[in-house]
Amino acid sequence: MSGPVAVATWRFGKGAVEGALKALRDGGTALDAVEAGIRVVEADPEVDSVGLGGAPNSEGVVELDAAMMEGRTLRVGAVAALRDVLHPISVARKVMEETQHVLLVGEGALKFALEHGFRRQDLTTEESRRKWREWKDAHDTIGLVVLDGEGNMAAGCSTSGSAYKLPGRVGDSPIVGAGLYVDDDVGGAAATGRGEDIMRYCSCFLAVEHMRRGLSPQEACLEVVRRIYEREGKVSVYLVALDREGRYGAAGIKKGFPYAVGSEGRSLLLEGAYLVEG
Ligand code: ASP
């Protein structure tokens, strides 16, 4: 059996895989590792697409989407269009563990978070307000898949979604099967890119099903982006995947998808496979 492995989207995923592996070293579960890893990125004001300092919607308000899934039980918790809470991944976990529901949105999600001890805070920064005033494009997601040393897997993702979206818009990240999926029998995947395209192809569920029928994580990601490319052309869709053996891979339709991988003692940045130059 493989030792612990974590794989995450984008350059900022390095902080997430390192946070996840530390949580496992400290005796945490795969779920603890996903939560800890994603919290690192949510708290970083330099990351302009997740948590604090994330891109606001068209009205200048930050609305966050996040989800968490457990590979052993297929339990899922998610929040969408959640305002004013720094760690939506932790609220998503509470939805999973303390309610009978999968997804809470908007006002209801905020009320639930406040009732569970989360603090209300302004998530804009000087920089995010400046960019909003200039209306620059920004989006990305921290997606993280973790395998602990005992064959347990978990996946999570967190994002402020597409920049300057309509208030109430929900992307792929909190939608199970779209932005994330994990099954201990097979492996897991997480997505980033244009949520509207990722969702319509049930991308992460599809990646896991490709692994179930024998494809490697890398081939599975490529197969998903190929399917989308055939109908949609050069849209922004990127996936990372990790299987129960600890094998990992990543792919996008277009070139330019750095992703992070970590296993005991080290983490590194790699370039995802791609179909077209750009
Ligand atoms: N997939 C996210 C969304 O559409 C954004 C991103 O990852 O770029 O909400």
Side-chain angles (χ1 to χ4, degrees), residues 9-10 49 65 138-142 158-163 165 169-174 179 191-199 236 238:
T9 55
W10 304 115
S49 55
D65 296 344
H139 61 84
D140 281 342
T141 298
I142 177 63
S158 182
T159 184
S160 50
S162 57
K165 61 193 177 185
R169 179 265 188 189
V170 174
D172 59 301
S173 300
T192 179
R194 189 166 183 275
E196 284 72 7
D197 292 317
I198 295 167
M199 271 194 268
S236 294
Y238 310 91

Side-chain angles (χ1 to χ4, degrees), residues 5-57:
V5 186
V7 59
T9 55
W10 304 115
R11 274 177 203 289
F12 54 65
K14 198 156 184 294
V17 299
E18 286 165 5
L21 293 169
K22 178 174 183 312
L24 292 178
R25 277 199 306 278
D26 292 346
T29 63
L31 284 176
D32 295 331
V34 163
E35 182 178 6
I38 288 179
R39 282 174 69 102
V40 170
V41 184
E42 288 177 337
D44 184 348
E46 301 289 310
V47 179
D48 63 4
S49 55
V50 179
L52 181 66
N57 66 19

Side-chain angles (χ1 to χ4, degrees), residues 14-229:
K14 198 156 184 294
V17 299
E18 286 165 5
L21 293 169
K22 178 174 183 312
L24 292 178
R25 277 199 306 278
D26 292 346
T29 63
L31 284 176
D32 295 331
V34 163
E35 182 178 6
I38 288 179
R39 282 174 69 102
V40 170
V41 184
E42 288 177 337
D44 184 348
E46 301 289 310
V47 179
D48 63 4
S49 55
V50 179
L52 181 66
N57 66 19
S58 61
E59 294 176 352
V61 178
V62 181
E63 289 190 338
L64 302 170
D65 296 344
M68 183 179 283
M69 182 166 188
E70 182 176 50
R72 184 172 59 81
T73 57
L74 307 187
R75 288 189 302 167
V76 181
V79 289
L82 173 65
R83 299 179 173 196
D84 297 342
V85 176
L86 176 59
H87 289 301
I89 193 67
S90 299
V91 185
R93 182 170 183 176
K94 283 251 180 291
V95 171
M96 181 177 85
E97 291 181 335
E98 295 186 21
T99 78
Q100 310 225 326
H101 308 307
V102 163
L103 173 61
L104 294 182
V105 306
E107 277 299 313
L110 176 60
K111 188 160 178 277
F112 172 82
L114 298 177
E115 281 169 6
H116 285 77
F118 290 86
R119 207 164 52 79
R120 204 170 178 153
Q121 74 177 82
D122 180 8
L123 298 174
T124 62
T125 58
E126 189 44 53
E127 181 64 7
S128 73
R129 288 191 292 273
R130 186 185 62 75
K131 284 186 182 164
W132 177 68
R133 283 193 299 269
E134 294 174 7
W135 208 267
K136 282 210 311 205
D137 188 47
H139 61 84
D140 281 342
T141 298
I142 177 63
L144 173 64
V145 188
V146 169
L147 168 69
D148 71 10
E150 283 149 27
N152 301 302
M153 298 191 74
C157 42
S158 182
T159 184
S160 50
S162 57
Y164 323 127
K165 61 193 177 185
L166 288 177
R169 179 265 188 189
V170 174
D172 59 301
S173 300
I175 306 298
V176 60
L180 79 171
Y181 200 77
V182 62
D183 180 341
D184 275 6
D185 289 348
V186 181
T192 179
R194 189 166 183 275
E196 284 72 7
D197 292 317
I198 295 167
M199 271 194 268
R200 290 184 295 127
Y201 291 83
C202 302
S203 299
C204 287
F205 180 72
L206 190 55
V208 170
E209 293 311 297
H210 284 319
M211 292 192 281
R212 196 187 300 276
R213 67 178 178 86
L215 297 196
S216 70
Q218 176 92 355
E219 288 164 350
C221 292
L222 271 170
E223 211 34 50
V224 173
V225 297
R226 194 170 292 123
R227 167 90 67 97
I228 300 172
Y229 175 62

